[in-house]
Amino acid sequence: MTYALPKLEYSYDALEPFIDARTMEIHYTKHHQAYVDKLNAALESYPKLQGLVVEDLLKKFNSLPKEIQTTVKNHGGGHANHSLWWLNLKKNIKFEGEISKEIKKKFGSYDKFKEEFIKTALSVFGSGWGWLILNKDKNLEIIKTPNQDSPLMEGNVPLLGVDMWEHSFYLKHGPNKTTYMEDFFKVINWENVNKIYKNSIK
Ligand code: MN3
């Protein structure tokens, strides 16, 4: 077994009332675990690839053997996306640091950024993710990806993602994706987003 669930650094109820404990538990122990298990199964016959951290595996996506590309996209993407998801959630973190300055420069204000990010995330049809990325030209950009496609596959760095799969919000928010987005914005770990940003512009 090469890939494993990352340790969750907080309890399932740590993000209440914005993200409920039951959703956190199922999301982490069932959904994320399934991506990890299926990725490991697919790479059993590829020992060289198993040595790569999942982010590096996704960066090499276009040169991977054709027969494992779909699995790496779905389950490697799922593993990487969710590993970032847990790290980027925390209550009571202020919007500050380098990333806050760059966001204001690029989008005009925090509110305009939030509005555009939410609009893009809500426009995901079916399952997918909304993202703030650092693109290949080192510019901030808001994009969406379908399913578990990772921005890393296209050479972009994911800074902040929002999981728009129903498993991420349906127990608490039902079909109301707008309140889910409002609650998500209350638990963004800007300290971690800032850390990724600073490492990525080096
Ligand atoms: Mn998910």
Side-chain angles (χ1 to χ4, degrees), residues 27 31 35 82 85 129 148 163 165 167-168:
H27 204 169
H31 292 280
Y35 297 123
H82 287 85
W85 173 247
W129 290 73
Q148 292 296 349
D163 190 337
W165 286 59
H167 67 231
S168 189

mmCIF file of all heavy atoms in Angstrom, residues 27 31 35 82 85 129 148 163 165 167-168, ligand 1:
data_model
loop_
_atom_site.group_PDB
_atom_site.id
_atom_site.type_symbol
_atom_site.label_atom_id
_atom_site.label_comp_id
_atom_site.label_asym_id
_atom_site.label_seq_id
_atom_site.Cartn_x
_atom_site.Cartn_y
_atom_site.Cartn_z
ATOM 1 N N HIS A 27 -17.331 11.662 4.747
ATOM 2 C CA HIS A 27 -16.510 12.193 3.655
ATOM 3 C C HIS A 27 -15.064 11.682 3.779
ATOM 4 O O HIS A 27 -14.453 11.248 2.802
ATOM 5 C CB HIS A 27 -16.540 13.722 3.739
ATOM 6 C CG HIS A 27 -16.256 14.420 2.453
ATOM 7 N ND1 HIS A 27 -16.449 15.771 2.286
ATOM 8 C CD2 HIS A 27 -15.755 13.996 1.268
ATOM 9 C CE1 HIS A 27 -16.116 16.121 1.051
ATOM 10 N NE2 HIS A 27 -15.681 15.066 0.428
ATOM 11 N N HIS A 31 -15.553 8.268 1.564
ATOM 12 C CA HIS A 31 -15.270 8.778 0.221
ATOM 13 C C HIS A 31 -13.767 8.902 -0.036
ATOM 14 O O HIS A 31 -13.253 8.368 -1.016
ATOM 15 C CB HIS A 31 -15.963 10.133 0.007
ATOM 16 C CG HIS A 31 -17.449 10.011 -0.033
ATOM 17 N ND1 HIS A 31 -18.140 9.603 -1.152
ATOM 18 C CD2 HIS A 31 -18.381 10.206 0.927
ATOM 19 C CE1 HIS A 31 -19.436 9.567 -0.880
ATOM 20 N NE2 HIS A 31 -19.607 9.925 0.377
ATOM 21 N N TYR A 35 -11.124 6.616 -2.662
ATOM 22 C CA TYR A 35 -10.200 7.110 -3.698
ATOM 23 C C TYR A 35 -8.801 6.526 -3.479
ATOM 24 O O TYR A 35 -8.141 6.082 -4.423
ATOM 25 C CB TYR A 35 -10.128 8.649 -3.692
ATOM 26 C CG TYR A 35 -11.440 9.323 -4.016
ATOM 27 C CD1 TYR A 35 -12.019 10.232 -3.136
ATOM 28 C CD2 TYR A 35 -12.116 9.052 -5.211
ATOM 29 C CE1 TYR A 35 -13.240 10.855 -3.426
ATOM 30 C CE2 TYR A 35 -13.325 9.667 -5.506
ATOM 31 C CZ TYR A 35 -13.883 10.563 -4.609
ATOM 32 O OH TYR A 35 -15.084 11.160 -4.896
ATOM 33 N N HIS A 82 -8.968 15.895 -2.041
ATOM 34 C CA HIS A 82 -9.455 15.803 -0.659
ATOM 35 C C HIS A 82 -8.345 16.039 0.356
ATOM 36 O O HIS A 82 -8.598 16.596 1.423
ATOM 37 C CB HIS A 82 -10.157 14.458 -0.430
ATOM 38 C CG HIS A 82 -11.491 14.405 -1.100
ATOM 39 N ND1 HIS A 82 -11.630 14.044 -2.419
ATOM 40 C CD2 HIS A 82 -12.734 14.742 -0.662
ATOM 41 C CE1 HIS A 82 -12.916 14.137 -2.750
ATOM 42 N NE2 HIS A 82 -13.605 14.557 -1.712
ATOM 43 N N TRP A 85 -8.375 19.617 0.623
ATOM 44 C CA TRP A 85 -9.647 20.028 1.234
ATOM 45 C C TRP A 85 -9.549 20.078 2.760
ATOM 46 O O TRP A 85 -9.857 21.081 3.388
ATOM 47 C CB TRP A 85 -10.737 19.054 0.769
ATOM 48 C CG TRP A 85 -12.100 19.165 1.371
ATOM 49 C CD1 TRP A 85 -12.704 18.249 2.182
ATOM 50 C CD2 TRP A 85 -13.079 20.217 1.174
ATOM 51 N NE1 TRP A 85 -13.983 18.661 2.494
ATOM 52 C CE2 TRP A 85 -14.229 19.858 1.894
ATOM 53 C CE3 TRP A 85 -13.068 21.422 0.463
ATOM 54 C CZ2 TRP A 85 -15.376 20.650 1.933
ATOM 55 C CZ3 TRP A 85 -14.205 22.218 0.497
ATOM 56 C CH2 TRP A 85 -15.341 21.834 1.229
ATOM 57 N N TRP A 129 -15.466 20.482 -8.847
ATOM 58 C CA TRP A 129 -14.842 21.386 -7.874
ATOM 59 C C TRP A 129 -14.755 22.802 -8.442
ATOM 60 O O TRP A 129 -14.556 22.978 -9.646
ATOM 61 C CB TRP A 129 -13.415 20.917 -7.558
ATOM 62 C CG TRP A 129 -13.332 19.638 -6.771
ATOM 63 C CD1 TRP A 129 -13.584 18.374 -7.225
ATOM 64 C CD2 TRP A 129 -12.971 19.513 -5.387
ATOM 65 N NE1 TRP A 129 -13.402 17.461 -6.205
ATOM 66 C CE2 TRP A 129 -13.020 18.128 -5.076
ATOM 67 C CE3 TRP A 129 -12.590 20.417 -4.376
ATOM 68 C CZ2 TRP A 129 -12.716 17.646 -3.798
ATOM 69 C CZ3 TRP A 129 -12.294 19.923 -3.117
ATOM 70 C CH2 TRP A 129 -12.363 18.556 -2.832
ATOM 71 N N GLN A 148 -13.385 14.479 -10.448
ATOM 72 C CA GLN A 148 -12.259 14.689 -9.536
ATOM 73 C C GLN A 148 -11.026 15.188 -10.298
ATOM 74 O O GLN A 148 -9.895 15.039 -9.819
ATOM 75 C CB GLN A 148 -11.934 13.399 -8.770
ATOM 76 C CG GLN A 148 -13.003 12.964 -7.783
ATOM 77 C CD GLN A 148 -13.204 13.951 -6.641
ATOM 78 O OE1 GLN A 148 -12.430 14.873 -6.434
ATOM 79 N NE2 GLN A 148 -14.266 13.745 -5.879
ATOM 80 N N ASP A 163 -15.463 21.513 -2.738
ATOM 81 C CA ASP A 163 -16.016 20.242 -3.196
ATOM 82 C C ASP A 163 -17.502 20.427 -3.505
ATOM 83 O O ASP A 163 -18.308 20.668 -2.606
ATOM 84 C CB ASP A 163 -15.810 19.201 -2.073
ATOM 85 C CG ASP A 163 -16.130 17.787 -2.510
ATOM 86 O OD1 ASP A 163 -16.891 17.612 -3.481
ATOM 87 O OD2 ASP A 163 -15.620 16.854 -1.848
ATOM 88 N N TRP A 165 -19.413 18.104 -4.922
ATOM 89 C CA TRP A 165 -20.129 16.828 -4.956
ATOM 90 C C TRP A 165 -21.204 16.861 -3.869
ATOM 91 O O TRP A 165 -20.978 17.392 -2.779
ATOM 92 C CB TRP A 165 -19.158 15.664 -4.688
ATOM 93 C CG TRP A 165 -18.236 15.342 -5.821
ATOM 94 C CD1 TRP A 165 -17.326 16.180 -6.408
ATOM 95 C CD2 TRP A 165 -18.109 14.081 -6.495
ATOM 96 N NE1 TRP A 165 -16.655 15.517 -7.405
ATOM 97 C CE2 TRP A 165 -17.114 14.224 -7.479
ATOM 98 C CE3 TRP A 165 -18.746 12.840 -6.337
ATOM 99 C CZ2 TRP A 165 -16.742 13.176 -8.321
ATOM 100 C CZ3 TRP A 165 -18.362 11.798 -7.181
ATOM 101 C CH2 TRP A 165 -17.374 11.972 -8.160
ATOM 102 N N HIS A 167 -22.074 14.706 -1.809
ATOM 103 C CA HIS A 167 -21.661 14.093 -0.538
ATOM 104 C C HIS A 167 -21.023 15.114 0.407
ATOM 105 O O HIS A 167 -20.919 14.881 1.598
ATOM 106 C CB HIS A 167 -20.728 12.885 -0.767
ATOM 107 C CG HIS A 167 -19.383 13.205 -1.350
ATOM 108 N ND1 HIS A 167 -18.865 12.565 -2.458
ATOM 109 C CD2 HIS A 167 -18.416 14.088 -0.973
ATOM 110 C CE1 HIS A 167 -17.657 13.029 -2.723
ATOM 111 N NE2 HIS A 167 -17.373 13.964 -1.845
ATOM 112 N N SER A 168 -20.614 16.235 -0.136
ATOM 113 C CA SER A 168 -19.937 17.244 0.677
ATOM 114 C C SER A 168 -20.904 18.165 1.415
ATOM 115 O O SER A 168 -20.505 18.866 2.345
ATOM 116 C CB SER A 168 -19.003 18.074 -0.212
ATOM 117 O OG SER A 168 -18.190 18.908 0.573
HETATM 118 MN MN MN3 B 1 -15.634 14.905 -1.743
#
